[in-house]
Structures are given as structure tokens and as C-alpha cells.
Amino acid sequence: MRATDLATPGTDAWLDRTLGGGVEVFDLGRPLYRGMPQSPNHPPYWHTLPRRHGDAVRADGGSAAADHISLGTHVGTHVDAFSHVSHDGRLFGGVDAVENQRGGAMTAHGAETIEPMFRRGVLLDVPAALGLAACEPGYEITPDDLDLTARRQRVDVREGDVVLLRSGWGARFGRGGPAEYVGHDSGVPGIGEAGAHWLAERRVHAAGADTIAFECLPPGRGHSLLPAHRVLLVEHGTYIIETLDLEAVAAAAVHEFLFVLSPLKLVGATGSPVRPLAVTPKAAS
Amino acid sequence: MRATDLATPGTDAWLDRTLGGGVEVFDLGRPLYRGMPQSPNHPPYWHTLPRRHGDAVRADGGSAAADHISLGTHVGTHVDAFSHVSHDGRLFGGVDAVENQRGGAMTAHGAETIEPMFRRGVLLDVPAALGLAACEPGYEITPDDLDLTARRQRVDVREGDVVLLRSGWGARFGRGGPAEYVGHDSGVPGIGEAGAHWLAERRVHAAGADTIAFECLPPGRGHSLLPAHRVLLVEHGTYIIETLDLEAVAAAAVHEFLFVLSPLKLVGATGSPVRPLAVTPKAAS
Amino acid sequence: MRATDLATPGTDAWLDRTLGGGVEVFDLGRPLYRGMPQSPNHPPYWHTLPRRHGDAVRADGGSAAADHISLGTHVGTHVDAFSHVSHDGRLFGGVDAVENQRGGAMTAHGAETIEPMFRRGVLLDVPAALGLAACEPGYEITPDDLDLTARRQRVDVREGDVVLLRSGWGARFGRGGPAEYVGHDSGVPGIGEAGAHWLAERRVHAAGADTIAFECLPPGRGHSLLPAHRVLLVEHGTYIIETLDLEAVAAAAVHEFLFVLSPLKLVGATGSPVRPLAVTPKAAS
Amino acid sequence: MRATDLATPGTDAWLDRTLGGGVEVFDLGRPLYRGMPQSPNHPPYWHTLPRRHGDAVRADGGSAAADHISLGTHVGTHVDAFSHVSHDGRLFGGVDAVENQRGGAMTAHGAETIEPMFRRGVLLDVPAALGLAACEPGYEITPDDLDLTARRQRVDVREGDVVLLRSGWGARFGRGGPAEYVGHDSGVPGIGEAGAHWLAERRVHAAGADTIAFECLPPGRGHSLLPAHRVLLVEHGTYIIETLDLEAVAAAAVHEFLFVLSPLKLVGATGSPVRPLAVTPKAAS
């Protein structure tokens, strides 16, 4: 008997069951770097080294370097808090949006209120199910597409899941200039209002995509309407995750996994940069 | 048979084993907010809302708010990359520290190279083992203290673990002014060089503490010498995690858990803010 | 005859009259540096070098270094735009304060609307006139004090002037910790509502002081009421300049000068950092 | 006799001579705003309102708004400090460039060492003298062009002057997208090494231009070589001012003026944003 068995009965055995056979950890986060693709509506990511090795050397030969970062919270892979979007002046739960932001930070629904996610995740690889490399720019993914994808993948979406929607658009990240991924002119594929209702009916906990805007942007319309954000963030209290890297899980045909996401506790913020993970047992990948 | 069983054999059963009985997720991250305790040597955390609800309202009644954040990467709960500290001009693995930072970002050992951690974690609650509420300011936690704590907790430290060292200092976070937690004048408890060797000998993957500096700061000496950083980051390639909130896991006497940490992929940075998690099966907490 | 005389008749002669005998340029701006005294209500000044010499060397041996600065606009020596302060929801001229800031920047009265100042300036050295080194913390400078100072200095305040009020507090800048100059606990000397009316009656263009808050802060009251800001910025359209360095002009007994101030054209901002100048003919200093 | 005549003999009369007939103040600074044209090599200008009117209302009905700005110092209209450029590892005066930046800020030649400029200024409107609206993209302005321009304008360049070189490129600022003014692809007109020697021989105090780079950028070569920066900043200690707005002075045919520039005292920085002025007597404009 190991010493720990007495102190935390069950944990040791649970760890053996979870970790014992080895796990595969898929990294769903995009790198953050100067000049990375991001929406021009948000403060650009900028990194500098205010201190470098050799700036100050301690008596024992030690030295340190350190960073300054400046960025929007809807930059890179990130999760939207419910305080991000309002409709007719209301946030999720009927909170008055203008009152809630008085003082320069969100009183309710700040990023610090997003509980860490450690739950079942599902990938719906739409273009793979449709026999495409990627959805077309501006294509609206329909409920039929989602049903078809789940059926072909033989995966079911359950209440409380995190559902990640692959459009194939993510392959553009870091390819060509930033505009190629941002896609404001070309349009960007994603679900529309109908697809958001499909997710809401299944009572998923969060939904994500491999694009910046999560939902379909018709060509030339920019962000003029964002109905899926309304349905999910405002009406149903479903988190949205954007700019995910779904290429590796898709290539490995990993459609079901343990999804882990731990947002920074940015008090009163409308979102947080994150690096989500998809975890499977070793054999399954 | 569920649909998923065919597609990803084993994952569904593994998820049942891991999640089926329910899990307890302990949040080890501190909140980030203006005026939070942080070292004056690093860029202060600052949050603003460049856009607020009502600034622009779409035709359908939708509106959005968004943030700008500015901070050092060694601010709040964070993990140190191997590029953070050098000794005699060398980083871990013998990398030339000055050459490595040429261009204003780290070529090797940047924060983006820190693999997500999903592995066994151990809490060593030193003051609890010593019968104290908290270690004294400036107290150096010795190898004997660590041995005693592990023995009294009936927990063993294994190769590849993440070991979190509680000093009790964390209760000062957010209490009084920032100086009370930063502790540059009073001294701060933690391990010294000997404690770092104790960890290195056990080949742990990472080590963390509930203080900003991780290691013992003798009263009035500030950061004049940081031997544990040298031993762990430079000599052994062991990550260091700082400003952890260990109060809840300690109160629940949770000494063994699944440790999850997923640093932001800040290319060329010396560290990343994080929100680490300690996960146990429901019954165990 | 010089060539220029034909092209710009009069300018050459005017330059001779203005510059010919030599001028003395007094620098009224404080240095900006990490850790400088500033109000904790505003984003702290932070400077870093994202690029350093040697990071990239061109074929010809050339290299460059460059900076990133982050700061509030009411940090260091700065001028307040009329958009900075509202009263009962109105800015100067009756502008609706909330409507004016919709979109995240000021539509009217932004810092870019502050015309450069190139006009007569007057120093009122109150403690010198009162026979003191400096006014007491929290002392309210009265209209009688201002009259007495002008009379003893034999200087008259005229319409359109910029009037700089010395309290002697400025000697604390950079002495001891930042709190010594910020003075939130001790109180800070300056004019109150009556002194603001004294200035407004004389139709001055702008008024400045050697403190952060410009006006009297009674001990322990912080910024709970700022009546002089209301009288000058909101009611009379008089600019306010803060954190001036008036020590050198006072030491030289220079009470009348050409005042020059050229704010950065920060579109939609509520103020701008500046480095104002007091210029006199050489002999006069 | 006015009261002031006794206290500061001569100043009152000098002010009358300088200001008495009225002055024309030309604003040579460009506005700073999100999305403004700037080099992608420097931290982008970003402005936010962390505090808005109504966030906190004092008992008397007063409220305040305030800003956060983040930018490079070589963004918008700005002056280069001598610490900006090195050649073969040396700054102006032989200062070791790498040693000088140790610690993360410039020890010598920081922006705080740039004395305010209050001296004769000359505009050389090259395209006007050449009978053009603007110099061609990538055109190198030659010493012959400079001689011809001075002669046609009937203006002489004297030791200690600030010489502003108009290329006509400035009309592109704010027209089309930022790339039109930045001009990295098209090339940008300006002086080359020969033109820099022409200025250095005349011992001017500073030189400026209506472009970001000050000197000629041949098409497709970017910033691969910057010989005029070397000649002026490193070899002769002549300041460089960039991104000037020279359109209004050129339109008014004002070729000689009082030039005023007062850089922020950014300690250890390599440059400062500024809003320079050209002042003439009223009649002369």
C-alpha cells in the first residue's frame, strides 16, 4: 500500500486510471507573436523584453530577463465571457450592460467568473464530413451539416459538452499576411443563427471554432450582424472560444476527448486568452 | 453501443473512468486586477475597456465590449520559462543567454516551448506538517522540512511530478496593501539552494509555491541571490510556478491530484501568466 | 540685404528682435521614468526597449534601438483637455459628457483641439511672497494670497495669459518615495474654488501648478471634490496644467515670460503629456 | 510704467516686440490615432479610456474621464535622440552602444537630454522649387536640389538652424490606407548620404522631413541602409525630426520662422513624440 492511499483515498487509483496508460495532449492554442493575425478592432499583441540577461548581474553570476506584453483579450486563441456581448442593452441573465460596465470593468460576468473547463469535448469536423478540405469563405454551416458530421463521425453531442466546430479555415493562420486569416473582405465560414440554436438545444457548455469570429461572416459584410453570439452568449449562457487550432486533432481523427480550458482570472474583463487542450488516452490517438 | 465507441475506441471508456464519478477542480490561480500585489520590477497589470456596450450598436440591437491588458509575464500566477534566468551567461542546456535574446525575443526556451502539463501533482503543506499557520517571514524551508512534510502527509514525490510547496504566505495576498504579499522588506519564506537540490534529485517536472519569488528571501536582502532559480531553471530544466493560491487545496487536505497547467504560447517570452488546476475525483476531496 | 528679406518680409527682422540678444529657455517639464511620482488612479508610466543596438546590424554596420512607452495622459507634466472633467453630465460649452465619449474617444474637446500656446506667461510664487519656503500640506491658497503675490512681484495678470501658481510643493518631486509628492494622505496645497474664480475673472487662457492635482487637497479628503477643475475646465474653458517644475523660474525670480506649450495631438484624449517652456530674453534672467 | 518693468527689466519690452504685432503659429505635428500610418517595426499607437464620465460621480456632480496610451517613440511626428542609431557599435561621441543600453534604458543620449529647440527654422520646399507637386517615390534629393531650392526661395541656411525638408510626400498622410504613407514597397523620397553631408557642413542643429524615414528609401529596399541617419545622428550630433506636417507652411510660402520643439523628457528613451511649431509675425504669413 502506498503512503498516499490513506491520505487521499481514491485519488491515487483515479490517477492511475486517468494517467496510467499514458495520455495524448493536443494543443488547441495558437502562438502569440507580433504581427500575428488578429482583428484590427482589438489592441494588437506586442511583446518586449524590458529586462535582458546581462542588464544586471548578481554577485553569484545570476541574471534574469523579463517581458512586457500588451494585447486585447479577444486576440489569439481566447474565450468570450458573457460580458462580451449585449443585446438590446442586456447581458446574459438580463444584466443591464451599461450599468454593469460602470467603473471601467465588468461587475458581473467578468472573465474571472468563467469556471475552468474540465469536461467532455467533441470535434465536429465539418469539411471532412462534407468531403472538402475546407468550407468556402463565407459559407454558413447549417444544422443539417452539423447532424451529418456527427452521424458520419459516429459521435453524439451531450449536455454539458464543449463542441468544437472545424471549418478548415484555420489552415490559413500564419499563411500569407494576417488578412488571409482575418478574412474581413473575403467572408469567413461558420455557423449562423440556425447553427447556434442547434448547439443551444443540445445544452452544450461552450462552443468553439477555428476562426476569429466563430460564426459565419458573409463576404463584404464584416461584423455587421453576429446572431450566433447573441444566441449563445446572451440568450443561453454558452461560452464561445475562438481562433482555435483544430488541425492536429482533425488530422488524427480525434472527435471525442477530455477538453481542458483555464482562463486567466482577469477581473472585470470580457474575455481571456487561453491555450485549451484536448486530451485522450494514448491508444486512442 | 454508443456511436463514439467505434470512432475512437477507448476514449469513451477512459472519459467515463476519469469524469464519470465527478471531479473536483481546484483553482490555483490568483485574480489579476489593477493594484494587485506584484513585484515592482515587472510591468504592472493594467486593464481597460477600449470598447463598451453602447459605443456602437448594430442594426439588430447587438453591442460588444472589449479589453486591453498590459502586464509583465511574471505578474500574478505564472510559470517561468527556462529563458528567464541565466547563470554565468548560460541558460539551461548551455544556451548563450545574450545571443539567445538578440532580436528582442528568446530564440530558444521561449514560453511557447513549455509543453502543457497534465500530470501528477503533489502538495507539500509545510506549515501544516510543522504545526504552524504559516512559515515565518524569511524562513528557509529545509530538506528535513520537506521530508517531514511528505512523511506526515503520507505522500511520495515521484519523477515527473509537479510539486507545490505551501508556506502559508499566500494568505497575505489581497490582505492589506500589496507590500504585505510582495514582502521585499520583511523577507519571504521558501526553499533555498538545499531545498532546490532536494527537488532536483527527485527529478520533478516543475515546482511551485504560494509566493512571488518561489524561494526564500531573507529579510532585507531582496532578490540579491536566487540560488533555487539557478538550480532548477538553469541546471536541471525544472519549471518554476509562482504566486499560486494553495489555500483551498490545503484546507481540503488534498495532497495528491492531477495537475493541469497550460501556458499561453507567448513566442520568445520568458514566462506566461497561467491559471493552474488541481483535479481530484469527487470523493477524494 | 539678406535673401530672405524679400521672401518673408518682416520675419527676419522679427527673428532678430526675438532671438538676437539671446534667450533663456526654462524647462518646466518633469522627467518621465519608471517609478516616478504619479497618481495611482492613472496608468503607470512604463518604458521598454523592444529593439536594442546589436539586435539587427545592417550590412553597413548600422543598428538602431527603439522604445515602447505606456502611460496615462494625466501622468507627469500634462495639460487637461476640456473633455477631462464634467459637471452634472456636461462638459464645457454644454456638451453631453456621456454622448461625447461614445465610441471610446472624445468627439469634442479631445486633446487634439488644444491649440499650441505661445503667449505671455506669469508665475505667481505664493510662498516667496508669503515669506515661506513652501505652502503647508493641504493649505488653500486664497484670492488675497494671489493679490498679495502679484503686488509684491510687481506683475499684473492680463487676459489671455497663462498663470503658473507655485506652492513650493514641487520640491518634493523625486524626493523620498512617490507618495511624498502625490500627497493623498497629507493633503496638498493649492487654490480652491475662490482662487479659481479669481483666475476666471481675469480671463486667463490656462493655469498651472507645481502639484499633480492643481488645486488644494485637504488632508485625508483625497480627490473627493475638485471645485477648481469645475470652475476652470467646465464653466470657463480654461486649461489646467499639472506637475509643473517651477523651481528654476522661481529661483531666478522670473515672473513674466513667453510661455510655450505644444500638446501632442492625441485624437479624442482627455489630456496630453507636455514639456512647457518659459522663455525670456537673456538679460532678464 | 508697468509693475513688471522693475521686476524683470526687459522682458516686458521683449514680449511686446515678440508678441505685440500678433503671431502666426503653424502646427507641424500630425494627429495620433488608432490606425494612423506608422512603421510596423514600432509599437502601434493605441488609445483607450480606462475611466469615463459617469463611472464615478462625486457628491457635487463632478466626474472625470482619463486615458491610457501605448506607442512607440518613433511613431507619429517625433524627434530622434542620438541614442537611436549606432554605427559599428558606437553612438555619437564614441559612446559604446551596447554598454549604454545595459539596464534597459539609455544611460547617455536619452530623449531627456534633448534640449528644447527655440531657434531659427528654415523650410526647403524642394518640389516647389523644382516645379513639382511632390518628389517621385524613391527619389533622392541631391545637394544641387537643396542649393537650388534655397536660392529660389531666397533663404540662407545658417549654423544652428533647424532645416525642414519638404518632399511633398506628406500629402499622403491619412489618404488611403496606412501603407500609402509608410511606403515600404513604393520607395519614399528624401535626401541620401550626400544631402546629409550638405546639412552637416552647414552645422545645422536639427533636420526634419515630411516622411517617416526622413531619408530616401529606394523602391523595394526598405530600411536596408540609412546613411543619412549615420551622418547626422552618429557622426555630427544633428537631431532628426520625422513625420512632419509641412503642407500648411509650404502653402503659405513660409520659408523662415521661429522653430519650437519641446520633446517629452522620456528618461533613457531613443526619441520622443512631439508637436513642433513654426512661428512667424502676423504680417509675414
Side-chain angles (χ1 to χ4, degrees):
Chain A
M1 189 183 75
R2 282 176 174 165
T4 49
D5 290 347
L6 285 186
T8 52
T11 296
D12 204 48
W14 176 82
L15 281 172
D16 269 352
R17 289 196 305 268
T18 299
L19 297 176
V23 292
E24 189 83 20
V25 177
F26 292 89
D27 175 2
L28 309 181
R30 291 287 183 188
L32 292 119
Y33 56 93
R34 287 188 207 166
M36 55 180 272
Q38 67 164 95
S39 166
N41 297 330
H42 294 281
Y45 179 78
W46 195 265
H47 165 259
T48 59
L49 292 173
R51 191 155 32 119
R52 298 197 189 183
H53 296 286
D55 275 355
V57 180
R58 284 188 291 266
D60 67 348
S63 192
D67 318 273
H68 179 197
I69 57 172
S70 171
L71 67 157
T73 59
H74 301 268
V75 163
T77 308
H78 65 276
V79 58
D80 292 349
F82 299 153
S83 55
H84 179 41
V85 168
S86 60
H87 191 72
D88 290 342
R90 298 285 160 179
L91 302 174
F92 177 62
V95 174
D96 183 306
V98 167
E99 279 310 308
N100 193 58
Q101 70 199 359
R102 200 175 298 285
M106 297 294 166
T107 304
H109 298 322
E112 81 280 11
T113 66
I114 309 174
E115 291 297 321
M117 300 180 198
F118 188 90
R119 51 177 69 226
R120 184 172 181 263
V122 165
L123 172 75
L124 293 181
D125 186 349
V126 178
L130 297 177
L132 302 167
C135 298
E136 290 294 308
Y139 177 74
E140 180 176 334
I141 296 170
T142 66
D144 282 352
D145 294 335
L146 299 174
D147 282 327
L148 177 79
T149 303
R151 203 165 56 241
R152 293 212 172 148
Q153 288 183 180
R154 301 194 180 200
V155 72
D156 55 330
V157 171
R158 305 177 197 159
E159 181 174 342
D161 280 358
V162 177
V163 176
L164 308 184
L165 303 168
R166 183 173 175 267
S167 70
W169 189 262
R172 293 169 175 244
F173 189 96
R175 200 173 69 188
E180 185 160 349
Y181 182 70
V182 176
H184 279 186
D185 295 327
S186 62
V188 178
I191 61 166
E193 182 165 2
H197 282 299
W198 188 95
L199 291 165
E201 285 159 14
R202 278 150 188 80
R203 298 175 169 277
V204 303
H205 182 73
D210 55 354
T211 62
I212 292 184
F214 174 71
E215 60 186 279
C216 175
L217 299 186
R221 289 254 306 281
H223 293 123
S224 58
L225 293 173
L226 293 175
H229 277 71
R230 170 176 49 79
V231 170
L232 296 176
L233 289 178
V234 182
E235 297 175 2
H236 288 89
T238 305
Y239 295 106
I240 293 177
I241 310 161
E242 288 156 326
T243 312
L244 286 161
D245 182 354
L246 303 176
E247 297 310 286
V249 274
V254 168
H255 301 138
E256 183 187 25
F257 38 82
L258 172 67
F259 180 80
V260 186
L261 177 145
S262 193
L264 299 178
K265 292 162 75 173
L266 307 171
V267 176
T270 68
S272 172
V274 290
R275 185 187 189 180
L277 307 175
V279 185
T280 64
K282 202 79 174 186
S285 68
Chain B
M1 189 184 74
R2 282 176 175 164
T4 48
D5 290 347
L6 287 186
T8 51
T11 296
D12 204 49
W14 177 81
L15 281 172
D16 269 353
R17 290 195 306 269
T18 298
L19 298 175
V23 293
E24 190 83 20
V25 177
F26 291 90
D27 176 2
L28 310 181
R30 292 286 183 190
L32 292 119
Y33 56 92
R34 288 188 206 165
M36 56 180 271
Q38 66 164 95
S39 165
N41 297 330
H42 294 282
Y45 178 77
W46 194 264
H47 165 259
T48 58
L49 292 173
R51 190 156 32 119
R52 298 197 190 183
H53 297 287
D55 276 355
V57 180
R58 284 188 291 265
D60 67 349
S63 194
D67 317 274
H68 179 197
I69 56 172
S70 172
L71 66 157
T73 59
H74 301 268
V75 163
T77 309
H78 65 276
V79 58
D80 292 349
F82 299 153
S83 54
H84 179 43
V85 168
S86 61
H87 191 74
D88 290 344
R90 297 287 162 179
L91 302 174
F92 177 62
V95 174
D96 183 305
V98 167
E99 278 310 308
N100 193 59
Q101 70 198 0
R102 200 174 299 282
M106 297 295 167
T107 304
H109 298 322
E112 80 281 9
T113 65
I114 308 175
E115 290 297 321
M117 299 180 197
F118 188 90
R119 52 177 68 228
R120 183 172 182 265
V122 166
L123 172 73
L124 294 181
D125 186 349
V126 178
L130 297 178
L132 301 167
C135 298
E136 291 294 309
Y139 177 74
E140 180 176 334
I141 296 170
T142 65
D144 282 352
D145 294 333
L146 299 174
D147 281 327
L148 177 78
T149 303
R151 203 165 56 240
R152 293 213 170 147
Q153 289 183 179
R154 300 193 179 200
V155 71
D156 56 330
V157 171
R158 304 175 198 161
E159 180 173 344
D161 281 356
V162 176
V163 176
L164 309 183
L165 304 168
R166 181 173 175 269
S167 71
W169 188 262
R172 293 169 175 243
F173 189 96
R175 200 172 70 187
E180 184 160 350
Y181 182 70
V182 176
H184 279 185
D185 295 328
S186 62
V188 178
I191 60 167
E193 182 164 4
H197 282 298
W198 188 94
L199 290 165
E201 284 159 14
R202 280 149 188 80
R203 299 176 168 277
V204 303
H205 182 73
D210 54 355
T211 62
I212 293 184
F214 175 72
E215 60 186 281
C216 174
L217 298 186
R221 288 255 306 281
H223 293 123
S224 57
L225 292 174
L226 294 174
H229 277 71
R230 170 177 48 79
V231 171
L232 296 176
L233 289 179
V234 182
E235 297 175 2
H236 288 90
T238 305
Y239 294 107
I240 293 177
I241 309 161
E242 287 156 326
T243 313
L244 286 161
D245 182 355
L246 302 176
E247 297 310 287
V249 274
V254 167
H255 301 137
E256 183 187 26
F257 39 81
L258 173 66
F259 180 81
V260 186
L261 177 146
S262 193
L264 300 178
K265 291 161 77 172
L266 307 172
V267 176
T270 66
S272 173
V274 291
R275 185 186 190 182
L277 307 176
V279 185
T280 64
K282 200 79 173 185
S285 68
Chain C
M1 189 183 74
R2 281 177 176 163
T4 49
D5 291 346
L6 285 187
T8 51
T11 296
D12 204 47
W14 176 80
L15 281 172
D16 269 352
R17 290 196 304 269
T18 298
L19 298 176
V23 291
E24 189 84 20
V25 177
F26 291 90
D27 175 3
L28 309 181
R30 292 287 183 188
L32 292 119
Y33 56 93
R34 287 189 207 166
M36 56 180 271
Q38 67 164 94
S39 165
N41 298 329
H42 294 281
Y45 178 78
W46 194 265
H47 165 259
T48 58
L49 292 173
R51 190 153 35 117
R52 299 196 189 183
H53 297 286
D55 275 356
V57 180
R58 284 189 291 265
D60 67 348
S63 193
D67 318 273
H68 179 198
I69 56 172
S70 171
L71 66 157
T73 60
H74 301 268
V75 163
T77 308
H78 65 276
V79 59
D80 292 349
F82 299 153
S83 55
H84 179 42
V85 168
S86 60
H87 192 72
D88 290 343
R90 298 286 160 179
L91 302 174
F92 177 62
V95 174
D96 183 305
V98 167
E99 279 309 308
N100 193 59
Q101 70 199 359
R102 199 174 299 284
M106 298 294 166
T107 305
H109 298 323
E112 80 281 11
T113 66
I114 309 175
E115 290 298 320
M117 300 179 197
F118 188 90
R119 51 178 68 228
R120 184 172 182 264
V122 165
L123 172 74
L124 294 181
D125 186 350
V126 178
L130 298 177
L132 302 167
C135 298
E136 290 294 309
Y139 177 74
E140 180 176 333
I141 296 171
T142 66
D144 282 352
D145 294 335
L146 299 174
D147 282 327
L148 177 78
T149 303
R151 202 165 56 241
R152 293 212 171 149
Q153 287 183 178
R154 301 194 181 199
V155 72
D156 54 331
V157 171
R158 305 177 198 160
E159 180 173 344
D161 279 358
V162 176
V163 176
L164 308 184
L165 303 168
R166 182 172 176 268
S167 71
W169 189 262
R172 293 169 176 243
F173 189 96
R175 199 173 69 188
E180 184 160 351
Y181 182 70
V182 177
H184 279 186
D185 295 328
S186 63
V188 178
I191 61 166
E193 183 164 2
H197 282 298
W198 188 95
L199 290 164
E201 284 159 15
R202 278 149 188 81
R203 298 176 170 277
V204 303
H205 182 73
D210 55 355
T211 63
I212 292 184
F214 175 72
E215 60 186 281
C216 174
L217 299 186
R221 288 254 307 280
H223 292 124
S224 58
L225 292 174
L226 293 175
H229 278 70
R230 170 176 49 76
V231 171
L232 296 175
L233 289 179
V234 183
E235 297 174 2
H236 288 89
T238 305
Y239 294 106
I240 293 178
I241 310 160
E242 288 156 325
T243 313
L244 286 161
D245 182 354
L246 303 176
E247 297 310 287
V249 273
V254 168
H255 301 138
E256 184 187 26
F257 39 81
L258 173 66
F259 179 80
V260 186
L261 177 146
S262 193
L264 300 178
K265 291 162 76 173
L266 307 171
V267 177
T270 67
S272 172
V274 291
R275 185 188 190 179
L277 308 175
V279 186
T280 64
K282 202 79 175 185
S285 67
Chain D
M1 190 184 75
R2 282 176 174 163
T4 48
D5 290 347
L6 285 187
T8 51
T11 296
D12 204 47
W14 177 81
L15 281 172
D16 268 353
R17 290 195 305 269
T18 298
L19 297 175
V23 292
E24 190 84 19
V25 177
F26 291 91
D27 175 2
L28 309 182
R30 292 287 183 189
L32 292 120
Y33 56 92
R34 287 188 206 166
M36 57 179 271
Q38 66 164 95
S39 165
N41 298 330
H42 294 281
Y45 178 77
W46 194 265
H47 164 258
T48 59
L49 292 173
R51 191 156 31 119
R52 297 196 189 184
H53 296 287
D55 275 356
V57 180
R58 283 188 292 266
D60 67 349
S63 193
D67 318 274
H68 179 198
I69 56 173
S70 171
L71 66 156
T73 59
H74 300 268
V75 163
T77 309
H78 65 276
V79 58
D80 292 349
F82 299 152
S83 54
H84 179 42
V85 168
S86 62
H87 192 73
D88 290 343
R90 298 287 162 179
L91 303 174
F92 177 63
V95 174
D96 182 306
V98 167
E99 279 308 309
N100 193 59
Q101 70 198 0
R102 200 174 300 282
M106 297 295 166
T107 304
H109 298 321
E112 80 281 10
T113 65
I114 308 175
E115 290 298 321
M117 300 180 197
F118 188 90
R119 51 177 69 226
R120 184 173 181 264
V122 166
L123 172 74
L124 294 181
D125 186 350
V126 178
L130 298 177
L132 301 167
C135 298
E136 290 295 308
Y139 177 74
E140 181 176 334
I141 296 170
T142 65
D144 282 352
D145 294 334
L146 299 173
D147 282 327
L148 178 78
T149 303
R151 202 166 56 242
R152 294 214 170 146
Q153 290 183 177
R154 301 195 180 198
V155 72
D156 56 330
V157 171
R158 305 177 197 158
E159 180 174 344
D161 281 356
V162 176
V163 176
L164 308 183
L165 304 168
R166 181 172 176 269
S167 71
W169 188 262
R172 293 169 175 242
F173 189 96
R175 199 173 70 188
E180 184 160 349
Y181 182 70
V182 176
H184 279 184
D185 295 327
S186 62
V188 178
I191 61 167
E193 182 164 3
H197 282 298
W198 188 95
L199 290 164
E201 284 159 14
R202 279 148 188 81
R203 299 177 168 277
V204 303
H205 182 73
D210 55 355
T211 62
I212 292 184
F214 175 72
E215 62 186 280
C216 175
L217 299 186
R221 288 254 308 280
H223 293 122
S224 57
L225 292 174
L226 293 175
H229 278 70
R230 171 177 46 79
V231 171
L232 296 176
L233 289 178
V234 182
E235 296 175 2
H236 288 90
T238 305
Y239 294 107
I240 293 177
I241 309 161
E242 288 156 326
T243 313
L244 286 161
D245 182 354
L246 302 177
E247 296 310 287
V249 274
V254 168
H255 300 138
E256 184 187 25
F257 39 81
L258 173 66
F259 179 81
V260 185
L261 177 146
S262 193
L264 300 178
K265 291 161 76 172
L266 307 172
V267 176
T270 67
S272 172
V274 290
R275 185 186 189 180
L277 307 176
V279 186
T280 64
K282 201 80 174 185
S285 69

